[in-house]
Amino acid sequence: MTPKTAQEIRSAFTSFFSERGHAVLPSASLIPRDPTVLFTVAGMVPFKPYFLGEETSPHPRAVTVQKCVRAGGKHNDLDEIGRTRRHLTFFEMLGNFSFGDYFKAEAIDWAWEFTTEGLGFDPDRLWVTVHHRDDEAAEIWREAAGVSPQRIQRMGEDNYWRMAETGPCGPCSEIFFDKGPEFGPDGGPAHGGEDRYLEFWNLVFMQFDQRPEGQVPLPEPSIDTGAGLERILTLIQGVESVFDIDEMVQLVGEASSVTGVKLGASPHSDVTLRSLAEHARTTAFLISDWVFTSNEDRRIGAMCCAASCAGPSAGPICWASPRR
Ligand code: SER
């Protein structure tokens, strides 16, 4: 049985990687203990000290379902909300991580196995991209995973992932699902457009620390992957956008009933209804992690330490921060 609901997908993902030696860790707080990002923008953020070699992870491999918010700084999707079918400021990221343990071969192999067997996606509808200089990743996709060379495309900066202006980074490889010709022209993710070819999983081959003065190699090559739960649900539930998945559709309906504006009344009001629903969801998760509004600085609520150290959002790394 392939998973259908959000909870089934979360648990299929963590079980798959747990069976392959990964420690299953809880989501960390949306408040990072790192000044380079406003919020936790990806599953790797809590693990930055492990990638940089500043701390040693108790587990060489980990798997998480991480709460993320992209609403500020380098990763900021605020202006896309309601205008595209795929962006959310709050989303859940399914990620498997290697801290100096396995590298490209295992990351690619397992991503392909989980996508095609775990999620049951038809391999003929999948495309992958690699960084234009990453011959090794292209070869693993072709030889080990068996992806047809026509469906492996090379891209430039889009296939190089950075946490922020500084910090861990490296070439990446993305997996896309072809939603079909009704969503745009042919040509694969490099030419066919992002509505048709939906990127749902990014595998980052972490190799460098970006510093203000330039890049230095990480102590050990590492793996950081992230798959968007809501995007996977869009594909599994066969709906048009992330606003149509069961987790979102009720919130959009609520925005419509509160405002008295019907979905479909106009393209402009649809963007507004989706934004209301989306921002309410994001705000609820931020408040539950003790984020308060301020016009001065990034501040952390007075009860934040107790809440995030003892509560369900406790992360693998303690988020207690002296910045108060
Ligand atoms: N850090 C990468 C991303 O956010 C993979 O998770 O896309």
Side-chain angles (χ1 to χ4, degrees):
M1 275 287 284
T2 51
K4 295 273 175 289
T5 64
Q7 189 46 32
E8 285 170 359
I9 294 168
R10 290 185 196 102
S11 78
F13 188 82
T14 52
S15 304
F16 180 91
F17 284 100
S18 161
E19 284 158 15
R20 287 156 185 78
H22 293 65
V24 182
L25 302 178
S27 175
S29 167
L30 285 168
I31 306 171
R33 63 163 195 177
D34 187 298
T36 67
V37 280
L38 183 63
F39 299 118
T40 298
V41 293
M44 57 72 62
V45 170
F47 303 127
K48 177 178 171 183
Y50 302 159
F51 289 119
L52 296 183
E54 294 168 353
E55 292 174 27
T56 304
S57 169
H59 317 282
R61 304 174 179 191
V63 58
T64 60
V65 180
Q66 174 64 50
K67 299 177 279 187
C68 298
V69 169
R70 292 189 174 179
K74 185 172 179 55
H75 299 281
N76 182 355
D77 290 333
L78 256 181
D79 291 340
E80 313 288 348
I81 303 307
R83 296 188 164 83
T84 76
R85 292 187 163 103
R86 63 189 188 284
H87 286 103
L88 294 169
T89 55
F90 173 88
F91 60 96
E92 293 180 60
M93 188 179 272
L94 311 170
N96 57 290
F97 305 92
S98 151
F99 310 114
D101 187 25
Y102 63 85
F103 199 45
K104 289 183 195 178
E106 293 89 338
I108 290 176
D109 239 26
W110 288 334
W112 189 251
E113 185 183 343
F114 184 75
T115 301
T116 55
E117 293 174 28
L119 296 175
F121 286 176
D122 177 357
D124 291 338
R125 300 188 71 171
L126 299 172
W127 291 68
V128 298
T129 58
V130 296
H131 187 256
H132 62 99
R133 284 195 296 273
D134 197 348
D135 295 334
E136 188 189 4
E139 187 183 323
I140 298 169
W141 281 115
R142 203 173 50 240
E143 300 299 326
V147 177
S148 132
Q150 290 78 30
R151 278 187 285 106
I152 303 171
Q153 296 184 319
R154 290 176 184 251
M155 293 175 61
E157 269 302 289
D158 278 353
N159 277 87
Y160 201 94
W161 198 85
R162 293 174 170 80
M163 172 178 157
E165 296 310 326
T166 56
C169 58
C172 63
S173 185
E174 298 181 309
I175 314 181
F176 296 75
F177 187 91
D178 179 1
K179 292 171 73 182
E182 63 274 34
F183 290 94
D186 297 337
H191 311 289
E194 293 172 283
D195 267 344
R196 170 156 177 185
Y197 298 95
L198 181 67
E199 184 252 308
F200 63 92
W201 200 343
N202 186 16
L203 318 179
V204 186
F205 312 124
M206 288 291 191
Q207 277 164 279
F208 300 100
D209 177 12
Q210 179 71 53
R211 298 186 182 165
E213 66 279 12
Q215 289 190 349
V216 295
L218 293 179
E220 307 272 7
S222 294
I223 289 295
D224 151 37
T225 89
L229 176 68
E230 293 82 354
R231 291 189 183 187
I232 291 175
L233 280 168
T234 307
L235 298 172
I236 286 193
Q237 295 178 359
V239 291
E240 280 206 356
S241 81
V242 288
F243 298 98
D244 303 307
I245 62 174
D246 54 359
E247 297 230 329
M248 291 297 301
V249 81
Q250 293 173 37
L251 294 176
V252 178
E254 192 60 27
S256 166
S257 101
V258 167
T259 57
V261 177
K262 285 204 165 43
L263 198 62
S266 80
H268 175 75
S269 60
D270 281 0
V271 171
T272 308
L273 290 177
R274 291 184 186 127
S275 301
L276 285 171
E278 201 279 341
H279 293 357
R281 179 174 182 255
T282 301
T283 308
F285 277 98
L286 286 170
I287 291 172
S288 77
D289 273 353
W290 296 93
V291 172
F292 297 98
T293 53
S294 162
N295 60 359
E296 287 176 16
D297 199 352
R298 189 167 94 182
R299 304 255 167 129
I300 297 180
M303 293 181 66
C304 144
C305 290
S308 50
C309 293
S313 50
I317 296 169
C318 177
W319 292 93
S321 165
R323 282 190 303 271
R324 275 192 294 152

